[in-house]
Amino acid sequence: MSASLTDDLLNQLQGQPLAQLSSQLGLSGPQTQNAVGAALPLLLGALGRNASQPQGAEALFGALQRDHAGGGGLDLGGVLGAVLGGASNRQTDGAGILGHIFGGREEAAAQGLGQSTGLGGSQANTLLKILAPIVLSYLAQRMLSGGNQAAASPQQLGQVLGQEHQRIQQQDATGGLLGAVLDQDGDGQLGLGDLLKIGGNLLGGKR
């Protein structure tokens, strides 16, 4: 699992999925590619921060098993179609998922993403809501399908997401934005207090 999760998922979104996103957001292909390329590190980096604490990793792992581990390979088109079609369940509830990922700071995440990509905050928020279920379905497929399932654990998920978070910070794609969004008590670091605000019931099924 050494390949970048961000790059792998971005590659899987090429073609029809990105065309659907472009149509939904009213953007050109290059604009959509750029926006998705900034949004995925923000989402995966935030998940990496959440999963850096054992209770965060356990809550996320449980949610992946319960809500996102469909059989077979990752059907990005199916997940995207369900989200765009307004399907209402825990797997496709982009707003609910964002609330758990960002701990109530999804508006700040959308505003920051909008500024960094040239999108408005509203378009950036829509993009994050669409991508959040796709990111979790991708993680579930990566961690829980085929030969990976037997070895999968919350600890392994935390390790994989931790490596991705480090990669994102090193590339500094959204590192500054990520820190600003997640540091809720303003002390410059994500502590246990922040995590409890973010992940008290992180994707725990309770709304």
Side-chain angles (χ1 to χ4, degrees), residues 24 31 40 42 55 64 77 82 95 99 117 120 133 148-149 151 154 167 169 173 177 183 195 198:
Q24 181 75 13
Q31 283 177 311
L40 290 179
L42 183 60
Q55 64 266 51
L64 295 182
T117 59
N148 298 328
Q149 189 165 5
R167 220 181 249 120
Q169 284 191 311
L177 174 61
D183 177 24
L195 187 79
I198 292 170

Side-chain angles (χ1 to χ4, degrees), residues 70-85:
L74 177 63
D75 179 14
L76 279 178
V79 176
L80 182 57
V83 173
L84 296 181

